[in-house]
Amino acid sequence: MTENTYHYAVMARAIALIDAAATPLTLDALAGRMQMSPAHFQRLFSQWVGVSPKRYQQYLALGHAKTLLRDRFTTLATADAVGLSGSGRLHDMFLTWEAMSPGEFAKGGTGLNINYGWFDSPFGPTLIMSTDKGICGAAFADTTGDPATFTDLQSRWPNATFVENPAHLRPWVTAAFDLTDQSTPLHLIGAPFQIKVWEALLQIPTGTVTTYSEIAGAIGSPKAVRAVGTAVGRNPVSWLIPCHRALRKSGELGGYHWGLDRKRAMLAWETARQDAG
């Protein structure tokens, strides 16, 4: 188990404890429940996210999503007006992206070679897939090599050829989880409506959130909120296309293909790092 995997395991256990607690837990209580010394537990938290466990609990609180929606809401129409759409800079993590044509997508990946590999990330074991143009798939699992996670991504492009080649992917993966690096290319493979939704997701800056209805308006389909939610859920590139930043208008988290605990952890991790920086 590498350092990133171990840190995520600590976070997952802490989130479960926080969720189950009726009131906020003290450092001593959290550390004791996980059979660690308070100093060691505090150090792990600080290394992983940059703030104390007490502060991190505030970010993980159920109301954090509503706070984000109130204080860090991104209006995608404004983002479009200032040039954060189209072929320009869509998201502060990425310089380039390319979409498969509708005709190519309809072929189910026929003739497409996709490299894949398993990697550690701040949010658990991560399956990454790519074409020669960029990362096309990213999914999280509870265990490395989880067959269900692989089948889920593979089924998006059933006629493609899949080759295990982690060495080819490693530079892109390293950049993808470094918020200061902007060199990760993406190759979006989906239906035209899905591509439009994913493009809108790429306009949401780190540390902010938006709503499904905002996304629907930004792509010119204001009444298609339900369809937008479905397309968000079918995003094949978790974290890199930030579907975790899409919330319900009420401020509730909504769904997340890889688990709501991960969605909360991602929002908390990003916000805490933004505030710590």
Side-chain angles (χ1 to χ4, degrees), residues 141-165:
D142 293 325
T143 58
T144 298
D146 176 38
T149 301
F150 183 84
T151 300
D152 178 38
L153 271 190
Q154 185 185 42
S155 67
R156 316 287 180 108
W157 318 292
N159 299 323
T161 299
F162 293 84
V163 179
E164 188 170 11
N165 190 1

Side-chain angles (χ1 to χ4, degrees), residues 77-100:
T78 301
D80 180 74
V82 298
L84 294 178
S85 62
S87 60
R89 179 181 167 126
L90 289 175
H91 181 266
D92 55 1
M93 285 179 64
F94 307 103
L95 290 178
T96 60
W97 73 277
E98 185 171 344
M100 175 175 280

